[in-house]
Amino acid sequence: MTVIRKQHGHFLEDFRPGDVYRHKGGKTITEGLFAVFTDFSMTANPLAKNARYARAYGFKGLVCPPGLVMVTVFSQSVEDVSENARANLEYIDMRFGVPVHVGDTLEAETLVLGVRPSTRTPDLGVVHVQTTGRNQDGEVVLTFQRKVQVWKKAPDAKVADGEVAPRAIPVSLQLPAYDAARNYKALAHLSSPDTYFEDFQPGQVFEHTRARVVTTDHIMLTGILDNTSQVHCNQWMVSQAPDKFVGGQLIVFGGIPFNLCLGISSADVADNALADIRYATGKHTAPIFAGDTVFASTEIRGLRDLPGRPDLGVLDTILRGHKFVAKGDAPERVEIFYLEREVAVKRRSHYA
């Protein structure tokens, strides 16, 4: 009998700046995938709930929320980039392109931008990558950079320390044009009356009152996305090395609190948005485990025009996620997520 034990994923010493990974598989947005993640994340925007509404705005059908687009593209990169990671450190310059609908197929590739060994921990280092997702027509739906803390397989292995420049990926938000002949106002009752661009002011902070507990279903949700990182699903592995794997608990895939924070915020901030435009930077500031409840808040940092679209404005926001943990007699609020978010929001003057 021949026993074969294949290695999946790459370790720090496997990465070389300039390498390109064309990720396996791809992912078609099925009705089931769309429904599970849209409903789980508590998304309130009717573009993701009501096909009649979405078509009335000129879309082909239901529109994938930005969090679903992100986790679909991100998860395709896991096997090559972060299956052997300790933590996802930072998202950088995440930009959205064409809308994604049920039936679209997303495929991704990743360019390795940099590799840096840790100066303090000999078996760890940081890999910096640029990942781009395209649909079946080759159109960019999303591009972003991220930095990942990755384990070495051999502590004394040499690392290809270095950097290359990111690719200039041409991507800009694509939205149906405003059409004065459409009767948008006839559908205004399907979204909130107080979340148009004119309703926001810099300095406002929305403490979103809805929240969502994360159960062990996070393992199923991660699997549905084909995310193969073992720290989210292999309890035996993490139990064998609790010091290495955050106390021996399965860590919830960061895309889940990412989605939840976006969804929880949507009723107060984005149910009259037509799209998210860009996330300048984002990071997970504390881990989430099964049993934690995710809360969110949004700070309005600024308002500006969207060039070429007098019907829309841009909200510059900071989205924060938090949880509560027991500490003495009073719970402690712990920030878990930070995201600088730009949102294209309808103007009441044109739509209501």
Side-chain angles (χ1 to χ4, degrees):
M1 180 185 295
T2 301
V3 177
I4 299 172
R5 187 175 179 85
K6 289 186 177 181
Q7 173 187 308
H8 293 282
H10 295 97
F11 290 89
L12 186 69
E13 59 264 40
D14 298 323
F15 292 96
R16 300 286 184 277
D19 283 355
V20 175
Y21 298 114
R22 299 184 70 184
H23 304 303
K24 296 186 298 185
K27 193 77 168 175
T28 298
I29 305 296
T30 62
E31 290 184 355
L33 178 64
F34 183 97
V36 166
F37 274 86
T38 302
D39 295 343
F40 166 79
S41 66
M42 304 177 72
T43 299
N45 191 313
L47 290 174
K49 298 286 187 177
N50 186 325
R52 182 175 76 95
Y53 182 99
R55 293 190 187 101
Y57 276 80
F59 293 98
K60 292 189 295 184
L62 292 172
V63 181
C64 280
L68 176 55
V69 177
M70 177 268 172
V71 293
T72 302
V73 173
F74 180 106
S75 293
Q76 290 180 44
S77 74
V78 167
E79 182 177 2
D80 289 319
V81 176
S82 54
E83 182 159 330
N84 296 309
R86 180 180 183 273
N88 193 65
L89 300 178
E90 184 180 10
Y91 306 101
I92 305 165
D93 193 26
M94 185 176 290
R95 291 172 287 144
F96 294 87
V98 300
V100 176
H101 303 279
V102 173
D104 283 344
T105 297
L106 306 187
E107 298 175 1
E109 69 176 22
T110 293
L111 168 67
V112 180
L113 298 177
V115 184
R116 177 171 53 86
S118 172
T119 57
R120 292 184 299 176
T121 309
D123 56 350
L124 276 173
V126 174
V127 178
H128 181 189
V129 299
Q130 180 184 32
T131 297
T132 302
R134 293 178 170 85
N135 66 13
Q136 64 279 357
D137 298 316
E139 300 167 312
V140 175
V141 300
L142 178 70
T143 187
F144 64 97
Q145 298 175 37
R146 66 171 170 135
K147 292 184 177 180
V148 192
Q149 192 177 46
V150 179
W151 295 105
K152 284 184 178 180
K153 186 175 185 181
D156 58 349
K158 293 184 178 180
V159 175
D161 192 358
E163 296 181 353
V164 299
R167 288 175 173 171
I169 303 293
V171 56
S172 60
L173 187 66
Q174 300 294 313
L175 293 172
Y178 178 81
D179 184 352
R182 292 180 183 268
N183 187 9
Y184 298 107
K185 295 181 180 181
L187 299 176
H189 65 286
L190 294 170
S191 62
S192 298
D194 59 353
T195 57
Y196 291 94
F197 184 71
E198 294 91 334
D199 295 310
F200 297 99
Q201 297 294 330
Q204 292 175 323
V205 177
F206 292 86
E207 288 283 351
H208 308 299
T209 55
R210 292 172 178 164
R212 174 76 83 184
V213 66
V214 178
T215 69
T216 54
D217 284 346
H218 76 85
I219 303 166
M220 176 198 69
L221 295 169
T222 304
I224 288 173
L225 292 164
D226 302 321
N227 183 327
T228 55
S229 179
Q230 294 295 284
V231 296
H232 308 314
C233 63
N234 188 335
Q235 183 62 63
W236 175 258
M237 181 191 77
V238 301
S239 297
Q240 302 312 297
D243 292 338
K244 182 177 180 179
F245 295 114
V246 195
Q249 298 183 76
L250 292 179
I251 299 174
V252 174
F253 164 43
I256 291 176
F258 195 125
N259 262 269
L260 285 176
C261 289
L262 289 169
I264 289 168
S265 71
S266 66
D268 296 326
V269 174
D271 82 329
N272 271 308
L274 288 192
D276 281 22
I277 304 170
R278 178 176 180 259
Y279 305 147
T281 185
K283 56 186 175 181
H284 301 283
T285 51
I288 285 287
F289 304 104
D292 287 339
T293 298
V294 174
F295 297 81
S297 65
T298 298
E299 175 187 351
I300 308 300
R301 301 187 71 187
L303 290 81
R304 52 192 167 90
D305 296 335
L306 182 60
R309 292 298 299 256
D311 58 309
L312 303 174
V314 179
L315 295 184
D316 290 312
T317 74
I318 295 178
L319 175 63
R320 292 182 172 90
H322 65 274
K323 65 179 181 179
F324 292 97
V325 297
K327 189 173 183 180
D329 295 332
E332 179 183 3
R333 176 169 169 157
V334 176
E335 184 171 294
I336 61 166
F337 183 61
Y338 174 94
L339 188 71
E340 296 181 10
R341 180 188 187 193
E342 301 170 17
V343 192
V345 178
K346 298 180 295 187
R347 295 182 187 266
R348 179 182 287 104
S349 58
H350 288 69
Y351 290 98

